[in-house]
Amino acid sequence: MHPERDEQDGSRCPDEGGPADGERTFGALPVARGRAFARSWWGQAWLKALEDTALDGEQLRLGRRHARGGAVGAVSVRPGRITAVVQDRDHTRHRSDVLLQQLSAADWGRFLDMIADRAGHIAALLDRDMPPVLVEDAAAAGIELLPGIGDLEPECGCGAWDHCAHSAALCYQLARLLDQDPFVLLLLRGRGERELLDELQARSAARAMGPADADVAAERSGAGVPAAEAYAARDILPPLPAAPPPVDAPGAPPVLGGGTPPAPGVDVAALEFLIADTAARAQRLLADALSAWHPGSPPPAVLTPAQDAVRLAAAGPGEVISARLAAGSGREARGLAAAVRAWELGGTAGLAVLEEDWTPGPEALARATGKLAAAWEDDEARPRLRATRNRWTVIGGAAQLRYGRDGRWWPYRREGGRWVPAGPATDDPAGALAGLPAKG
């Protein structure tokens, strides 16, 4: 159910009418000075595709000014295209369009099958969320939901052949809409919300009516046979056993305390916590193994012991177990708390930004300084920054920007004499600093 007006920035939600839910129109958004255009990670990915594609940084700067100043009219979103009228300062109006390739019917089929296999993905979409794992799972199945470099194709009445200030303003404005509702991106890729949910419901129902439990697997020999012999007997061998059924949730872990005293050095509470974590991870691995896209998926990255300690601590195991995780990973309590915060904001990438201190090469440094130079409008107060390797600190302040190896900016603030993560990564350094303390 759509609210009539978003409390955050006042955008009007579209009418639900239209054939097959194939077009949505959003009213003009209000002035947006002093705020980041994209606060969700998928909105930031949209802007990164724009900023990596556009050849003229000055046009991007003018586009941000147009979008912040309320010069973009109502935005129409339909499969493969977004459209709006953008007004210049001299009141000249230009129709601007940005095109994005739709997914094929085969791609949509694989995407919907993938979501239907995972209740968590369905719940996230219904909650207007697009977690990174959903996009990663789609990419592993060969489906790119988010645009990449060169995917956003501009068409504007001003006659520009590349992204102009008008198409850039439209893209910046759409990032605000994407923050509110990822179904906007899915409509651009070719499926309206109602159509998508109806198809998803049909797939989920078909899975619920699947075959009964499989027969018990045939008894296997422990010694095995040569491959040539097995291949020669392929026509007389029984069929392979059916895959195990999916498990909706991990089982309840056993209670180990209350009986025989544990052996010296065995922490019962910590062991119960590890058993519960192992069960949850096993359930996720089984769900991945049973998915249609599993054969073509790369194996997940293996965490180091120090990274895995932070992952475990992020589950909130309690003070005693957290202290053991801190000691085992070479951290003290405050360091582990900062690492958990970085993990929650950005996973392994966020943790690397917290713990790595690196010097950008000439190209990366030029790109970073260019983004900083274009981040603030001419009439906005520009903070004074001191650069140290990949970190830009506000002079006399308690705020810092850290430049990640992926080209994004991570906001940090000073607390109790140390720098701690203050928010998720963004492509907009001005937006990353917004809301951080100006004074030390």
Side-chain angles (χ1 to χ4, degrees):
M1 181 173 65
H2 298 299
E4 285 300 314
R5 184 170 291 274
D6 183 89
E7 295 295 332
Q8 182 175 341
D9 64 15
S11 64
R12 179 175 61 82
C13 287
D15 294 334
E16 291 298 326
D21 197 23
E23 182 172 355
R24 298 173 66 180
T25 301
F26 297 82
L29 300 179
V31 173
R33 293 190 181 278
R35 71 180 292 277
F37 279 102
R39 297 182 180 179
S40 64
W41 76 272
W42 58 86
Q44 293 163 13
W46 170 272
L47 290 185
K48 181 172 175 59
L50 166 69
E51 293 169 354
D52 287 345
T53 298
L55 301 178
D56 191 341
E58 176 64 17
Q59 294 301 318
L60 292 182
R61 188 183 70 83
L62 291 174
R64 283 196 299 271
R65 174 180 292 177
H66 281 333
R68 282 201 170 106
V72 181
V75 178
S76 171
V77 184
R78 55 191 181 277
R81 182 182 295 266
I82 56 174
T83 305
V85 173
V86 183
Q87 182 170 279
D88 285 328
R89 287 191 169 184
D90 62 0
H91 303 296
T92 303
R93 295 159 61 87
H94 301 277
R95 168 177 164 153
S96 190
D97 295 74
V98 175
L99 282 61
L100 179 64
Q101 185 175 1
Q102 299 180 53
L103 299 180
S104 67
D107 286 342
W108 273 113
R110 292 201 306 276
F111 178 63
L112 290 166
D113 284 338
M114 179 201 72
I115 297 178
D117 284 337
R118 296 195 177 186
H121 288 346
I122 299 175
L125 284 177
L126 292 177
D127 199 32
R128 293 294 190 273
D129 188 18
M130 188 182 290
V133 67
L134 187 154
V135 177
E136 291 168 2
D137 288 346
I143 305 157
E144 296 297 337
L145 290 179
L146 294 167
I149 298 176
D151 287 348
L152 301 179
E153 182 181 346
E155 289 182 358
C156 188
C158 72
W161 61 272
D162 186 31
H163 277 287
C164 59
H166 313 111
S167 65
L170 174 56
C171 286
Y172 280 111
Q173 204 75 314
L174 190 78
R176 296 171 66 183
L177 301 177
L178 289 173
D179 270 358
Q180 302 167 36
D181 189 353
F183 280 104
V184 173
L185 176 62
L186 299 177
L187 174 57
L188 257 175
R189 286 299 198 185
R191 287 290 192 278
E193 176 181 348
R194 191 162 53 214
E195 180 184 5
L196 187 149
L197 293 178
D198 286 347
E199 292 185 19
L200 190 57
Q201 183 179 15
R203 278 172 164 78
S204 299
R207 280 163 172 72
M209 298 173 62
D213 293 341
D215 295 335
V216 178
E219 184 177 355
R220 296 178 297 175
S221 170
V225 295
E229 181 181 335
Y231 183 77
R234 65 188 181 278
D235 294 329
I236 61 174
L237 291 176
L240 291 174
V247 177
D248 294 332
V255 178
L256 303 181
T260 304
V266 176
D267 185 333
V268 173
L271 186 56
E272 289 176 342
F273 171 72
L274 289 176
I275 291 172
D277 176 74
T278 302
R281 295 178 66 192
Q283 187 269 333
R284 291 195 297 269
L285 289 172
L286 176 61
D288 286 342
L290 296 176
S291 64
W293 62 90
H294 178 74
S297 302
V302 178
L303 300 180
T304 66
Q307 291 171 333
D308 202 44
V310 176
R311 180 191 66 82
L312 290 168
E319 184 176 347
V320 174
I321 297 176
S322 293
R324 292 192 62 177
L325 291 170
S329 61
R331 302 178 176 92
E332 36 81 36
R334 290 180 61 198
L336 180 62
V340 167
R341 174 66 173 158
W343 178 272
E344 292 172 340
L345 291 170
T348 54
L351 195 57
V353 170
L354 172 71
E355 298 181 332
E356 289 184 1
D357 187 1
W358 62 286
T359 300
E363 291 185 6
L365 184 61
R367 188 173 186 85
T369 54
K371 283 193 173 183
L372 286 169
W376 287 271
E377 306 296 340
D378 295 337
D379 55 351
E380 290 182 309
R382 185 184 301 268
R384 293 190 304 142
L385 301 173
R386 180 180 66 253
T388 306
R389 292 179 292 280
N390 69 316
R391 303 173 182 184
W392 278 261
T393 306
V394 176
I395 297 175
Q400 184 183 82
L401 290 173
R402 295 193 178 185
Y403 191 62
R405 295 183 185 274
D406 59 358
R408 297 186 296 168
W409 299 92
W410 300 75
Y412 273 67
R413 63 172 176 266
R414 196 162 185 83
E415 290 183 359
R418 68 170 62 199
W419 292 104
V420 297
T426 174
D427 291 310
D428 180 10
L433 280 179
L436 294 182
K439 300 294 184 182

